Amino acid sequence: MNLLPIPASGLPDGAVMPEHKLSIVIPMYNEADNVEPLLARIHQAMEGYSQPWEVVLVDDGSTDATPAEIRRLAAEYGPHVHAVELVRNYKQTAAMQAGLDAARGDVIATLDGDLQNDPFDIPRMVYRLLNEDLDLVAGWRKDRQEGFLMRRLPSRIANRLIARVTGVRLKDYGCSLKIFRGSVIRSVRLYGEMHRFIPAWLATVTTPRRIAQEVVTHHPRIHGQSKYGISRTFRVVLDLVFMYFFMRYRTRPGHFFGGIGIVLGAVGSLVLAYLLCLKLLLGQDIGTRPMLFTGFFLLIAGVQMVTSGVLAELLARVYHEANGVSAYVVRPRPDESDSDGWYRLAS
């Protein structure tokens, strides 16, 4: 089923793909008309792929024929096409996490199920990930096939804001076509609607130097309707606030709340000290002055924020110690020798 033109291979001449196993994860919601052409496109793109690969299709509680289509085509194509059905619509982040949990590969590709991402970009991006020893290669829809005012302009603003706040400089956070090193993406858990911030989440367990972007093909939508609207802009702002806090203060929340509390308490104390001087030295009446209430409010708010910081520190310690979560991640290294690593005098 050729709905789209077949591009030439993007791999360099004579390129040899390093050994790995690839999982392609695709969340889908009400995409019944796209399941068959998408799987056909994937098999065309992976026809000459030299390494083992699989497809994980996640139905996110669709209300149309998407689950039936996935089951039918999984049986038709064979055991390398896996179906994961969620009992209701949990939204894209949870569906993507379900696919990542089901994926078995040491390299994982994610893409949308609407045929706008092109699977023919996957081999080139996987080759770059492995050849350049990266942890993430993110797609960049440089020639995006969508409206400017409602889609591209808000996305461009959001991308710059996210890059500035998180420090991960990518030009297209919204592109679902991404290639991950499996050991790294499995080190994070996705909640809420945080799929937009996956590169930033990865930056909590790896360095931004191991994150790259690659220009990818973007097709106009052929079947179905977009699930996104301008309303998601407000959710992005809220998620970004949480992302900023998590990246900088996950292991030291007391510094965040305590810092605010100290500033508020200091300002409140200065206001009250000023009023005290007016009362004692100049004999002025301060009982009904708004500054008195402001000073007490700031001082009490400062104490509450410092107390919240102490409680947050206790909760963070309980979380890390009870769940065995470490404050750092060590990159695994292959065994380079049979030695046990101890120096011994030669006998």
Side-chain angles (χ1 to χ4, degrees), residues 9-29:
S9 170
L11 291 179
D13 292 337
V16 178
M17 188 71 76
E19 288 189 11
H20 66 280
K21 293 179 180 178
L22 172 65
S23 296
I24 303 173
V25 174
I26 310 168
M28 307 189 83
Y29 177 65

Side-chain angles (χ1 to χ4, degrees), residues 49-63:
Y49 203 74
S50 60
Q51 302 299 318
W53 60 276
E54 66 175 359
V55 181
V56 179
L57 297 174
V58 182
D59 171 59
D60 187 20
S62 298
T63 57

Side-chain angles (χ1 to χ4, degrees), residues 3 11 51-52 54 64 69 88 125 152 171 189 212 248 250 265 268 283 295:
L3 298 178
L11 291 179
Q51 302 299 318
E54 66 175 359
D64 64 357
E69 279 292 285
R88 64 174 178 86
M125 297 172 71
R152 284 187 290 163
K171 295 183 179 180
R189 302 292 296 180
R248 285 164 174 77
R250 176 183 57 168

